[in-house]
Amino acid sequence: MNGRMLVEQARMELVLTLRRGEAVLLTLIVPVSLLLFFGATNLFDIEIGFLVPGLLTLSVISSALVALAIATGFERKYMVLKRLGATPLPRSVLFAGKMVATLLLEVLQIVIILAAARLFLDFRPPIAWWALVLAVVLGTAAFGGLAFLLSGTLRAEATLAVVNGLFVAFFGLGGVMFSIDGLPRPLAAVADIMPAAGLSEMIRWATGFSETLGEVVWVLVFWAIVAPLLAVRFFSWEEK
Amino acid sequence: MSISIHLENLTKRYDALTAVDGLSLDVRTGETYALLGPNGAGKTTTVEILEGLRASDSGTVEVLGLNPVSDRTRLQRRIGVMLQEGGVYQGAKAREVVSLFASYYPSARATDELLELVGLADRATTLHRRLSGGEKQRLSLALALVNRPQLVFLDEPTAGMDPVARRTTWEIIEHMQSEGVTILLTTHFMDEAERLADRVGILNHGRLVAEGSPSDLIQARGDVSFVSVPQLPVEELIEEIGIDVREVRTGFYVVTTDTPSPALVSNVTAWLANRDALITELRVGAGGLEEVFLALTEENNR
């Protein structure tokens, strides 16, 4: 019974996301557009081996943080979450459905980025798949936990504003397009305690760009554990 | 006679506010029970406690013989719920939502049959956000019926509907009644309660102030009501006759009493004559549920 509910729930979530124009733009179109633009123009002189893992990081953030938080926030506002609470659907299956849909969307994003890099930029990195999967799972836990924490405590409009702001912040401070080492000291200090830097570090390692894994990865692990716990603690099903 | 809902001394507080204050009532299996009351009387809180969406502070709550908190999943398989508003994915099509909800239950109605029942068969592939207000309400009603529930909770099912949509909704509810479904509904419309309910309970400040069939409640009142010029100084009349008088609507006055007498009627009309205020209508006893409601719920006094 729960298995069937999970499949149906995940399918619904994925369909709804793919039907939202702004979510498709942010998760599927923006990352690959950035790849083709910066990969082809050599503007800022970004190495392709650095750029691809950065955009994979951005992809995870766009799905697990931005798209997920906005969808959940508005479902809460329109009392979808409350209504589902009056059905036999367990809360755990509701959230599992969201996570499965997010992971599927991320698989699609990764396939598109890697395929575009290969086809148009002739980039074939040596990928340690287990490490890439682990990085995506940790990133999804960290950013997904953050998404639930925000959407379960703020009003939907505030969630929308905050996650869009965070998306821009992580774009600059997450080691996505520019190395954190090049940032001014105070900014680098902020970047170092955010989950994005650890995720980009780990994906760069998984795709063979860097040979060693920096300690900043532990920051990602910390967020992957703490953000979901905070979300469970503070999530409320209805806006006050 | 079996009982579907049993409430004894139910109490629920939100900080300083007591939303439900020692409420006891029974809903019999197969009947339609309407909870009436002004905004903030505790109707929605009561319904949400029965649905398992909220926990009570104290008191006994039994729904279909189950505890809504500890037997939540078992109960929710057997009940249908329609919230006051919202509750559906904005970007989903009507049919998608119904079949998603069907997957939550071991046995569910056929999706298309259900859409047909609520008159949404031709809107099956329309996104929820593009449905009209009345269509959204009917989709929400369909979701309450997916699992062929024994007991259905309808929280203001026709709020915001035009007269045609209301009638359609009433017919769907009457269809459920003919199938023997027990219904607990809340409403602000007295005509809705009079038409659909076997019994009504009037809530005020979280307490039950009257209960019975609509006709019993109407007959039980002995109020003297009259229509005259607005804003009469009723305090003077109260002093004169020693009974509470209120202008419940502009120009519509109710003298609250259970024991009307010829002397009382004569005193009231004499007082009005002295003020040169013409009576255009005078009645002893309530003419409808609305008057009963207004007499019993003072907050509506505006």
Side-chain angles (χ1 to χ4, degrees), chain A residues 1 4-5 8-9 12-13 15-16 19-20 74-75 78-89 91 94 98 238, chain B residues 48 53-54 72-73 76-77 81 83 85-93 96 100-106 127 143-144:
Chain A
M1 190 66 210
R4 182 179 158 223
M5 283 194 228
E8 294 292 327
Q9 204 59 35
M12 182 88 248
E13 296 278 353
V15 165
L16 291 175
R19 225 173 247 167
R20 279 167 41 216
F74 280 92
E75 283 163 17
Y78 292 118
M79 304 216 234
V80 178
L81 303 183
K82 178 177 176 177
R83 177 65 185 86
L84 295 178
T87 71
L89 176 74
R91 298 294 197 191
L94 171 64
K98 288 180 175 294
E238 271 181 81
Chain B
E48 291 184 357
L53 290 174
R54 274 173 211 287
R72 185 175 154 142
T73 308
Q76 288 175 341
R77 288 206 180 112
V81 169
L83 297 181
E85 54 171 338
V88 180
Y89 293 104
Q90 296 286 298
K93 295 171 185 170
E96 289 173 339
L100 176 69
F101 270 61
S103 76
Y104 301 154
Y105 300 95
L127 295 184
L143 297 178

Side-chain angles (χ1 to χ4, degrees), chain B residues 35-95:
Chain B
L35 269 183
L36 311 179
N39 287 329
K43 302 186 298 290
T44 297
T45 300
T46 303
V47 170
E48 291 184 357
I49 288 170
L50 295 170
E51 292 164 346
L53 290 174
R54 274 173 211 287
S56 61
D57 291 334
S58 62
T60 309
V61 183
E62 266 177 45
V63 183
L64 301 177
L66 300 168
N67 178 321
V69 177
S70 57
D71 301 319
R72 185 175 154 142
T73 308
R74 270 211 294 164
L75 175 64
Q76 288 175 341
R77 288 206 180 112
R78 294 164 62 191
I79 62 171
V81 169
M82 181 176 172
L83 297 181
Q84 221 171 80
E85 54 171 338
V88 180
Y89 293 104
Q90 296 286 298
K93 295 171 185 170
R95 181 187 277 126

